[in-house]
Amino acid sequence: MSPESEADTPGETELPGALSAALRAELVAFRRDLHMHPELGNQEFRTTAAIKERLERAGLKPRVLPVGTGLVCDIGTGTDSGQWAGGPRMLALRADIDALPIPDTKSECPYRSRVPDRAHACGHDVHTTVVLGTGLVLAALHEQGLLPRPVRLVFQPAEEVLPGGAADAIEGGALDGVRRILAVHCDPRVDAGRIGLRVGPITSACDRLEISLDGPGGHTARPHLTTDLVTAAARVVTDVPPLVARRVDSRSGLALTWGRIESGHAPNVIPQHAELAGTVRCLDLDAWRQAPDLVVGAIDEIANLYRAKSEITYVRGVPPVVNEVTSTELLQAAMAARCGTDSVESTEQSLGGEDFSWYLEHVPGAMARLGVRPPGERTVRDLHQGDFDVDEHAITVGVEMFTAAALIDAV
Protein backbone atom coordinates (compact mmCIF):
# COMPACT_ATOMS: atom_id res chain seq x y z
CA MET A 1 0.00 0.00 0.00
CA SER A 2 1.30 3.42 -0.85
CA PRO A 3 2.55 5.93 1.72
CA GLU A 4 0.84 8.60 -0.38
CA SER A 5 -2.44 7.51 1.25
CA GLU A 6 -1.39 8.95 4.58
CA ALA A 7 -2.94 12.10 5.99
CA ASP A 8 -1.41 13.87 8.93
CA THR A 9 -3.75 14.38 11.85
CA PRO A 10 -2.80 17.06 14.35
CA GLY A 11 -2.29 15.88 17.89
CA GLU A 12 -2.98 17.69 21.11
CA THR A 13 0.64 18.31 22.15
CA GLU A 14 3.59 19.59 20.16
CA LEU A 15 6.47 17.17 20.65
CA PRO A 16 9.70 16.79 18.72
CA GLY A 17 10.27 13.63 16.76
CA ALA A 18 7.86 13.94 13.82
CA LEU A 19 9.09 11.98 10.82
CA SER A 20 10.58 13.76 7.85
CA ALA A 21 9.36 12.81 4.39
CA ALA A 22 12.77 11.29 3.64
CA LEU A 23 12.70 9.04 6.71
CA ARG A 24 9.12 7.99 5.99
CA ALA A 25 10.13 6.89 2.51
CA GLU A 26 13.21 5.08 3.85
CA LEU A 27 11.17 3.17 6.40
CA VAL A 28 8.58 2.12 3.83
CA ALA A 29 11.41 0.84 1.63
CA PHE A 30 12.96 -0.99 4.61
CA ARG A 31 9.67 -2.68 5.44
CA ARG A 32 9.16 -3.74 1.84
CA ASP A 33 12.65 -5.23 1.73
CA LEU A 34 11.86 -7.30 4.83
CA HIS A 35 8.55 -8.29 3.29
CA MET A 36 10.34 -9.62 0.21
CA HIS A 37 12.83 -11.60 2.29
CA PRO A 38 10.91 -13.25 5.16
CA GLU A 39 12.79 -15.55 7.51
CA LEU A 40 11.41 -18.08 9.99
CA GLY A 41 12.05 -18.07 13.72
CA ASN A 42 15.70 -18.46 14.76
CA GLN A 43 16.73 -18.13 11.09
CA GLU A 44 16.46 -14.35 10.85
CA PHE A 45 20.11 -13.74 9.93
CA ARG A 46 19.50 -11.40 7.01
CA THR A 47 16.89 -9.46 8.94
CA THR A 48 19.19 -9.12 11.96
CA ALA A 49 22.06 -7.93 9.76
CA ALA A 50 19.87 -5.32 8.04
CA ILE A 51 18.67 -3.87 11.36
CA LYS A 52 22.17 -3.88 12.81
CA GLU A 53 23.69 -2.13 9.80
CA ARG A 54 21.11 0.68 9.85
CA LEU A 55 21.48 1.27 13.59
CA GLU A 56 25.25 1.35 13.31
CA ARG A 57 24.98 3.88 10.48
CA ALA A 58 23.08 6.07 12.94
CA GLY A 59 26.03 5.90 15.37
CA LEU A 60 24.43 3.33 17.69
CA LYS A 61 25.97 0.15 19.10
CA PRO A 62 23.53 -2.74 18.73
CA ARG A 63 24.47 -6.18 20.03
CA VAL A 64 23.21 -9.43 18.58
CA LEU A 65 21.53 -11.76 21.07
CA PRO A 66 23.48 -14.86 22.16
CA VAL A 67 21.15 -17.13 20.13
CA GLY A 68 22.59 -15.58 16.95
CA THR A 69 19.54 -13.70 15.68
CA GLY A 70 17.72 -10.70 17.08
CA LEU A 71 19.46 -7.82 18.82
CA VAL A 72 19.14 -5.11 21.42
CA CYS A 73 20.31 -1.52 21.21
CA ASP A 74 20.44 1.18 23.89
CA ILE A 75 20.02 4.88 23.22
CA GLY A 76 21.07 7.52 25.70
CA THR A 77 22.94 5.34 28.17
CA GLY A 78 26.19 7.25 27.81
CA THR A 79 28.21 4.03 27.57
CA ASP A 80 30.60 2.92 24.87
CA SER A 81 29.35 -0.65 24.99
CA GLY A 82 25.75 0.19 24.15
CA GLN A 83 24.67 -1.71 27.28
CA TRP A 84 23.05 -0.47 30.43
CA ALA A 85 25.59 0.62 33.03
CA GLY A 86 23.43 1.13 36.10
CA GLY A 87 21.99 4.52 35.17
CA PRO A 88 18.30 5.40 35.03
CA ARG A 89 16.20 2.33 34.37
CA MET A 90 15.05 2.24 30.78
CA LEU A 91 11.91 2.16 28.75
CA ALA A 92 12.11 -0.76 26.29
CA LEU A 93 10.40 -1.01 22.90
CA ARG A 94 9.99 -4.51 21.52
CA ALA A 95 9.58 -5.79 17.96
CA ASP A 96 9.37 -9.38 16.71
CA ILE A 97 11.27 -10.08 13.50
CA ASP A 98 10.27 -13.55 12.24
CA ALA A 99 7.87 -14.59 9.48
CA LEU A 100 5.44 -17.45 8.90
CA PRO A 101 5.76 -20.72 6.94
CA ILE A 102 2.96 -19.91 4.48
CA PRO A 103 3.01 -18.74 0.84
CA ASP A 104 2.53 -15.09 -0.08
CA THR A 105 -0.56 -15.08 -2.30
CA LYS A 106 -0.68 -11.39 -3.21
CA SER A 107 -0.92 -11.58 -7.01
CA GLU A 108 0.06 -8.07 -8.09
CA CYS A 109 2.42 -6.65 -5.48
CA PRO A 110 5.97 -5.48 -6.27
CA TYR A 111 7.17 -6.39 -2.78
CA ARG A 112 5.54 -9.80 -2.39
CA SER A 113 7.70 -12.48 -0.80
CA ARG A 114 10.51 -13.85 -2.95
CA VAL A 115 10.96 -16.87 -0.67
CA PRO A 116 8.71 -19.85 -1.46
CA ASP A 117 6.25 -20.73 1.30
CA ARG A 118 7.41 -17.87 3.53
CA ALA A 119 5.52 -14.66 4.24
CA HIS A 120 5.32 -11.77 6.66
CA ALA A 121 1.64 -12.48 7.11
CA CYS A 122 1.43 -11.29 10.72
CA GLY A 123 2.94 -7.82 10.32
CA HIS A 124 6.26 -8.47 12.04
CA ASP A 125 7.97 -6.55 9.25
CA VAL A 126 5.90 -3.54 10.30
CA HIS A 127 6.67 -4.03 14.00
CA THR A 128 10.38 -4.23 13.19
CA THR A 129 10.31 -1.13 11.00
CA VAL A 130 8.39 0.85 13.64
CA VAL A 131 10.95 0.10 16.36
CA LEU A 132 13.85 0.72 13.98
CA GLY A 133 12.38 4.05 12.91
CA THR A 134 11.79 4.99 16.53
CA GLY A 135 15.43 4.21 17.29
CA LEU A 136 16.63 6.45 14.46
CA VAL A 137 14.46 9.34 15.63
CA LEU A 138 15.41 8.92 19.29
CA ALA A 139 19.11 8.76 18.39
CA ALA A 140 18.79 12.12 16.65
CA LEU A 141 16.88 13.59 19.60
CA HIS A 142 19.54 12.30 21.99
CA GLU A 143 22.23 14.08 19.99
CA GLN A 144 20.20 17.28 20.43
CA GLY A 145 19.86 16.71 24.19
CA LEU A 146 16.11 16.13 23.90
CA LEU A 147 15.87 12.52 25.12
CA PRO A 148 15.06 12.64 28.85
CA ARG A 149 15.84 8.98 29.67
CA PRO A 150 17.58 6.05 28.02
CA VAL A 151 15.58 3.73 25.78
CA ARG A 152 16.28 0.14 24.74
CA LEU A 153 15.25 -1.31 21.40
CA VAL A 154 14.53 -5.05 21.51
CA PHE A 155 14.36 -6.91 18.19
CA GLN A 156 13.25 -10.38 19.21
CA PRO A 157 13.46 -13.55 17.11
CA ALA A 158 11.08 -16.49 16.93
CA GLU A 159 7.81 -15.08 18.24
CA GLU A 160 5.91 -17.62 16.13
CA VAL A 161 7.78 -20.59 17.64
CA LEU A 162 6.25 -21.86 20.88
CA PRO A 163 7.06 -21.02 23.62
CA GLY A 164 8.45 -17.99 21.80
CA GLY A 165 11.80 -16.28 21.43
CA ALA A 166 11.04 -13.82 24.22
CA ALA A 167 12.55 -16.26 26.72
CA ASP A 168 15.83 -16.28 24.77
CA ALA A 169 15.84 -12.49 24.57
CA ILE A 170 15.24 -12.19 28.32
CA GLU A 171 17.98 -14.73 29.04
CA GLY A 172 20.24 -12.71 26.75
CA GLY A 173 19.81 -9.61 28.91
CA ALA A 174 17.05 -7.80 27.02
CA LEU A 175 15.38 -6.71 30.26
CA ASP A 176 18.51 -5.85 32.26
CA GLY A 177 17.99 -2.30 33.48
CA VAL A 178 14.49 -2.08 32.00
CA ARG A 179 11.61 -0.83 34.11
CA ARG A 180 8.83 -0.76 31.48
CA ILE A 181 8.30 -2.32 28.04
CA LEU A 182 5.94 -1.41 25.21
CA ALA A 183 4.98 -3.12 21.95
CA VAL A 184 2.53 -2.93 19.07
CA HIS A 185 0.81 -5.61 17.03
CA CYS A 186 -0.79 -5.01 13.65
CA ASP A 187 -4.58 -5.16 13.69
CA PRO A 188 -6.33 -5.34 10.29
CA ARG A 189 -9.66 -4.54 11.95
CA VAL A 190 -8.46 -1.06 13.00
CA ASP A 191 -7.96 1.79 10.53
CA ALA A 192 -4.46 3.08 9.90
CA GLY A 193 -4.00 6.24 11.97
CA ARG A 194 -5.63 4.68 15.01
CA ILE A 195 -4.72 2.22 17.76
CA GLY A 196 -6.72 -0.14 19.95
CA LEU A 197 -6.03 -0.31 23.69
CA ARG A 198 -7.35 -1.99 26.81
CA VAL A 199 -6.19 -2.38 30.40
CA GLY A 200 -5.81 -5.99 31.49
CA PRO A 201 -5.69 -9.06 29.23
CA ILE A 202 -5.45 -8.16 25.54
CA THR A 203 -4.43 -11.58 24.18
CA SER A 204 -4.96 -15.12 25.41
CA ALA A 205 -2.82 -17.97 26.59
CA CYS A 206 -1.95 -20.50 23.91
CA ASP A 207 -0.50 -24.00 24.35
CA ARG A 208 0.04 -26.87 21.91
CA LEU A 209 -1.24 -30.41 22.39
CA GLU A 210 -0.13 -33.62 20.64
CA ILE A 211 -1.66 -37.04 21.38
CA SER A 212 -0.84 -40.57 20.30
CA LEU A 213 -3.42 -43.33 20.84
CA ASP A 214 -2.38 -46.96 20.53
CA GLY A 215 -3.95 -50.39 20.85
CA PRO A 216 -4.36 -53.72 19.07
CA GLY A 217 -6.10 -53.30 15.74
CA GLY A 218 -7.89 -55.83 13.59
CA HIS A 219 -10.69 -56.48 11.14
CA THR A 220 -13.70 -54.15 11.16
CA ALA A 221 -15.88 -57.30 11.26
CA ARG A 222 -14.58 -58.02 14.77
CA PRO A 223 -14.23 -54.68 16.62
CA HIS A 224 -14.86 -56.44 19.94
CA LEU A 225 -11.45 -58.08 19.62
CA THR A 226 -9.65 -54.77 19.09
CA THR A 227 -9.12 -51.35 20.58
CA ASP A 228 -11.30 -49.36 18.21
CA LEU A 229 -8.87 -46.46 17.83
CA VAL A 230 -10.88 -44.54 15.24
CA THR A 231 -13.85 -44.42 17.59
CA ALA A 232 -11.55 -43.66 20.54
CA ALA A 233 -9.94 -40.78 18.65
CA ALA A 234 -13.34 -39.47 17.58
CA ARG A 235 -14.57 -39.50 21.19
CA VAL A 236 -11.45 -37.69 22.37
CA VAL A 237 -12.10 -35.03 19.72
CA THR A 238 -15.76 -34.58 20.61
CA ASP A 239 -15.84 -35.26 24.36
CA VAL A 240 -12.67 -33.74 25.78
CA PRO A 241 -13.29 -30.04 24.92
CA PRO A 242 -16.68 -29.80 26.69
CA LEU A 243 -15.41 -31.96 29.56
CA VAL A 244 -12.50 -29.58 30.16
CA ALA A 245 -14.74 -26.52 29.77
CA ARG A 246 -17.01 -27.81 32.55
CA ARG A 247 -14.10 -28.10 35.00
CA VAL A 248 -13.14 -24.42 35.04
CA ASP A 249 -15.04 -21.19 35.48
CA SER A 250 -16.80 -20.60 32.16
CA ARG A 251 -15.62 -16.97 32.24
CA SER A 252 -12.05 -18.19 31.77
CA GLY A 253 -12.72 -18.99 28.11
CA LEU A 254 -10.67 -22.19 28.19
CA ALA A 255 -11.03 -23.73 24.73
CA LEU A 256 -9.46 -26.83 23.20
CA THR A 257 -9.59 -26.84 19.39
CA TRP A 258 -8.29 -29.61 17.15
CA GLY A 259 -6.23 -29.00 14.04
CA ARG A 260 -5.16 -32.50 13.02
CA ILE A 261 -6.42 -36.08 13.32
CA GLU A 262 -4.91 -39.06 11.50
CA SER A 263 -5.60 -42.76 11.71
CA GLY A 264 -5.86 -45.77 9.45
CA HIS A 265 -5.31 -46.55 5.77
CA ALA A 266 -8.06 -48.98 4.74
CA PRO A 267 -11.85 -49.01 5.20
CA ASN A 268 -11.97 -52.56 6.59
CA VAL A 269 -8.97 -52.38 8.96
CA ILE A 270 -9.11 -51.04 12.49
CA PRO A 271 -5.72 -49.30 12.92
CA GLN A 272 -3.27 -49.71 15.75
CA HIS A 273 -2.30 -46.03 15.96
CA ALA A 274 -3.99 -42.63 15.87
CA GLU A 275 -2.63 -39.10 16.23
CA LEU A 276 -4.33 -35.87 17.21
CA ALA A 277 -3.05 -32.32 17.61
CA GLY A 278 -4.59 -29.03 18.60
CA THR A 279 -4.28 -25.91 20.68
CA VAL A 280 -5.48 -24.92 24.11
CA ARG A 281 -6.40 -21.26 24.47
CA CYS A 282 -7.47 -19.46 27.61
CA LEU A 283 -8.51 -15.92 28.53
CA ASP A 284 -7.66 -16.21 32.22
CA LEU A 285 -4.18 -16.55 33.73
CA ASP A 286 -5.24 -18.71 36.70
CA ALA A 287 -7.19 -21.13 34.52
CA TRP A 288 -4.22 -21.33 32.13
CA ARG A 289 -2.06 -22.50 35.01
CA GLN A 290 -4.54 -25.32 35.72
CA ALA A 291 -4.98 -26.26 32.06
CA PRO A 292 -2.30 -28.97 31.64
CA ASP A 293 -3.60 -31.13 34.47
CA LEU A 294 -7.22 -30.64 33.42
CA VAL A 295 -6.62 -31.42 29.75
CA VAL A 296 -4.37 -34.43 30.32
CA GLY A 297 -6.77 -35.86 32.90
CA ALA A 298 -9.76 -35.53 30.58
CA ILE A 299 -7.93 -37.16 27.66
CA ASP A 300 -6.88 -40.11 29.82
CA GLU A 301 -10.44 -40.58 31.07
CA ILE A 302 -11.91 -40.80 27.56
CA ALA A 303 -9.07 -42.93 26.18
CA ASN A 304 -9.42 -45.39 29.05
CA LEU A 305 -13.11 -45.87 28.28
CA TYR A 306 -12.10 -47.29 24.92
CA ARG A 307 -9.06 -49.21 26.22
CA ALA A 308 -6.72 -46.98 24.24
CA LYS A 309 -3.23 -46.27 25.51
CA SER A 310 -2.60 -42.52 25.39
CA GLU A 311 0.69 -40.67 25.15
CA ILE A 312 0.24 -36.92 25.60
CA THR A 313 2.68 -34.12 24.84
CA TYR A 314 1.48 -30.85 26.33
CA VAL A 315 3.71 -27.99 25.15
CA ARG A 316 3.48 -24.85 27.25
CA GLY A 317 3.13 -21.84 25.00
CA VAL A 318 2.49 -18.34 26.30
CA PRO A 319 0.33 -16.79 29.02
CA PRO A 320 -2.03 -13.90 28.20
CA VAL A 321 -0.59 -10.45 27.56
CA VAL A 322 -1.92 -8.44 30.49
CA ASN A 323 -1.62 -4.68 29.93
CA GLU A 324 -0.57 -2.82 33.07
CA VAL A 325 -2.51 0.35 33.85
CA THR A 326 0.28 2.95 33.84
CA SER A 327 1.89 1.54 30.70
CA THR A 328 -1.45 1.54 28.89
CA GLU A 329 -2.03 5.13 29.94
CA LEU A 330 1.41 6.03 28.60
CA LEU A 331 0.54 4.61 25.17
CA GLN A 332 -2.79 6.40 25.23
CA ALA A 333 -1.18 9.72 26.16
CA ALA A 334 1.50 9.29 23.49
CA MET A 335 -1.05 8.55 20.77
CA ALA A 336 -3.26 11.43 21.87
CA ALA A 337 -0.28 13.77 21.75
CA ARG A 338 0.44 12.79 18.16
CA CYS A 339 -2.97 12.12 16.64
CA GLY A 340 -5.59 13.36 19.10
CA THR A 341 -7.68 11.55 21.69
CA ASP A 342 -10.15 10.23 19.13
CA SER A 343 -7.37 8.19 17.53
CA VAL A 344 -7.51 5.71 20.43
CA GLU A 345 -10.29 3.12 20.56
CA SER A 346 -11.05 0.37 23.02
CA THR A 347 -10.38 -3.17 21.88
CA GLU A 348 -11.47 -6.64 22.93
CA GLN A 349 -9.34 -9.44 24.26
CA SER A 350 -8.15 -11.65 21.42
CA LEU A 351 -7.89 -15.43 21.49
CA GLY A 352 -4.53 -15.14 19.74
CA GLY A 353 -1.33 -15.81 21.66
CA GLU A 354 1.70 -13.50 21.90
CA ASP A 355 5.01 -14.15 23.63
CA PHE A 356 5.28 -10.49 24.63
CA SER A 357 3.52 -11.84 27.72
CA TRP A 358 6.81 -13.33 28.97
CA TYR A 359 8.33 -9.86 29.33
CA LEU A 360 5.37 -8.85 31.47
CA GLU A 361 6.19 -11.63 33.91
CA HIS A 362 9.26 -9.52 34.81
CA VAL A 363 8.41 -5.83 34.22
CA PRO A 364 5.20 -3.85 33.68
CA GLY A 365 4.24 -3.02 30.13
CA ALA A 366 1.53 -2.86 27.52
CA MET A 367 0.81 -3.72 23.91
CA ALA A 368 -1.26 -1.59 21.52
CA ARG A 369 -3.11 -2.83 18.48
CA LEU A 370 -1.72 -0.79 15.59
CA GLY A 371 -4.33 -0.06 12.95
CA VAL A 372 -3.23 -1.15 9.47
CA ARG A 373 -6.52 -1.20 7.53
CA PRO A 374 -6.80 1.47 4.82
CA PRO A 375 -9.53 3.84 6.03
CA GLY A 376 -12.77 3.13 4.22
CA GLU A 377 -11.79 -0.37 3.11
CA ARG A 378 -14.38 -2.95 4.09
CA THR A 379 -12.39 -6.08 3.32
CA VAL A 380 -10.33 -7.29 6.27
CA ARG A 381 -7.06 -8.99 5.28
CA ASP A 382 -6.79 -11.21 8.30
CA LEU A 383 -3.58 -12.16 10.08
CA HIS A 384 -1.86 -15.42 9.12
CA GLN A 385 -3.35 -15.34 5.62
CA GLY A 386 -1.25 -15.30 2.47
CA ASP A 387 -2.79 -12.09 1.14
CA PHE A 388 -2.15 -10.07 4.31
CA ASP A 389 -0.90 -6.51 3.74
CA VAL A 390 -1.04 -3.15 5.47
CA ASP A 391 -1.57 0.54 4.89
CA GLU A 392 2.02 1.72 5.37
CA HIS A 393 0.92 4.96 7.03
CA ALA A 394 0.78 2.75 10.12
CA ILE A 395 4.60 2.84 10.20
CA THR A 396 4.61 6.61 10.71
CA VAL A 397 1.87 6.34 13.33
CA GLY A 398 3.76 3.67 15.28
CA VAL A 399 7.09 5.52 15.18
CA GLU A 400 5.62 8.83 16.28
CA MET A 401 3.60 7.18 19.05
CA PHE A 402 6.66 5.37 20.40
CA THR A 403 8.84 8.48 20.23
CA ALA A 404 6.17 10.42 22.09
CA ALA A 405 6.02 7.69 24.74
CA ALA A 406 9.79 7.91 25.23
CA LEU A 407 9.58 11.67 25.60
CA ILE A 408 6.72 11.80 28.09
CA ASP A 409 7.51 8.62 30.03
CA ALA A 410 7.34 9.37 33.77
CA VAL A 411 9.68 7.97 36.38
Side-chain angles (χ1 to χ4, degrees):
M1 306 249 172
S2 171
E4 285 80 15
S5 65
E6 66 194 39
D8 293 326
T9 304
E12 298 184 337
T13 305
E14 289 298 326
L15 289 171
L19 269 66
S20 66
L23 184 53
R24 292 184 190 191
E26 179 189 352
L27 293 177
V28 167
F30 189 90
R31 178 257 167 174
R32 292 184 177 189
D33 179 72
L34 295 186
H35 201 83
M36 288 188 288
H37 301 93
E39 297 174 300
L40 299 184
N42 296 315
Q43 302 173 24
E44 314 95 332
F45 297 103
R46 183 187 186 278
T47 303
T48 298
I51 301 165
K52 182 173 183 287
E53 187 277 333
R54 186 60 185 93
L55 292 172
E56 289 176 339
R57 235 182 330 127
L60 298 171
K61 300 182 183 296
R63 56 186 179 93
V64 176
L65 292 170
V67 292
T69 62
L71 64 158
V72 298
C73 183
D74 296 346
I75 304 169
T77 56
T79 70
D80 292 332
S81 66
Q83 301 182 39
W84 183 65
R89 291 174 66 80
M90 287 177 284
L91 172 70
L93 306 173
R94 175 268 200 172
D96 36 11
I97 66 175
D98 58 324
L100 286 162
I102 63 175
D104 188 334
T105 61
K106 296 188 292 296
S107 58
E108 296 183 6
C109 177
Y111 52 87
R112 67 178 294 184
S113 173
R114 296 180 179 178
V115 184
D117 299 319
R118 304 287 186 267
H120 269 295
C122 200
H124 293 188
D125 53 337
V126 174
H127 308 165
T128 299
T129 305
V130 165
V131 174
L132 173 67
T134 303
L136 299 178
V137 173
L138 293 180
L141 292 177
H142 177 57
E143 289 180 359
Q144 301 169 46
L146 298 177
L147 184 63
R149 291 176 194 86
V151 173
R152 172 167 294 157
L153 314 177
V154 178
F155 297 92
Q156 175 214 304
E159 190 276 332
E160 298 287 354
V161 181
L162 287 179
D168 290 329
I170 293 167
E171 186 175 346
L175 290 181
D176 294 351
V178 169
R179 64 184 178 83
R180 188 183 312 284
I181 188 166
L182 305 176
V184 293
H185 197 294
C186 290
D187 191 336
R189 303 166 302 171
V190 178
D191 286 350
R194 302 175 62 81
I195 64 166
L197 277 178
R198 66 177 280 124
V199 174
I202 193 171
T203 70
S204 299
C206 180
D207 299 335
R208 189 174 75 244
L209 182 64
E210 297 176 355
I211 306 167
S212 293
L213 298 177
D214 292 282
H219 201 290
T220 55
R222 292 176 288 279
H224 60 290
L225 301 179
T226 73
T227 293
D228 189 351
L229 282 183
V230 172
T231 299
R235 299 304 305 208
V236 168
V237 167
T238 57
D239 292 352
V240 170
L243 186 60
V244 170
R246 287 296 179 268
R247 294 180 177 180
V248 294
D249 190 322
S250 58
R251 292 170 296 182
S252 70
L254 182 61
L256 169 54
T257 306
W258 304 105
R260 183 173 70 90
I261 177 171
E262 295 182 16
S263 186
H265 300 283
N268 62 341
V269 177
I270 293 174
Q272 300 179 24
H273 182 73
E275 294 182 358
L276 302 87
T279 59
V280 178
R281 299 180 186 272
C282 187
L283 301 174
D284 178 73
L285 187 58
D286 289 336
W288 176 71
R289 289 174 175 146
Q290 302 173 45
D293 290 340
L294 293 174
V295 171
V296 169
I299 292 168
D300 283 338
E301 283 183 35
I302 301 301
N304 288 338
L305 288 175
Y306 292 87
R307 296 177 297 171
K309 180 183 178 182
S310 60
E311 183 175 330
I312 304 166
T313 301
Y314 193 107
V315 181
R316 264 308 199 192
V318 294
V321 171
V322 181
N323 282 353
E324 182 258 344
V325 174
T326 303
S327 302
T328 308
E329 291 173 346
L330 174 59
L331 284 169
Q332 183 169 4
M335 189 65 178
R338 295 297 193 191
C339 300
T341 55
D342 62 353
S343 64
V344 181
E345 60 184 66
S346 61
T347 190
E348 298 178 348
Q349 183 178 5
S350 164
L351 277 171
E354 234 290 352
D355 76 350
F356 182 68
S357 54
W358 291 122
Y359 298 101
L360 305 186
E361 296 282 301
H362 301 271
V363 297
M367 170 176 281
R369 300 198 189 284
L370 180 67
V372 297
R373 181 177 61 191
E377 184 173 299
R378 294 182 179 180
T379 302
V380 176
R381 300 188 182 190
D382 201 10
L383 300 170
H384 289 214
Q385 300 296 317
D387 66 346
F388 178 76
D389 205 355
V390 304
D391 185 326
E392 290 168 321
H393 176 48
I395 296 171
T396 295
V397 173
V399 171
E400 294 191 346
M401 179 183 70
F402 272 166
T403 56
L407 292 171
I408 65 179
D409 184 27
V411 177

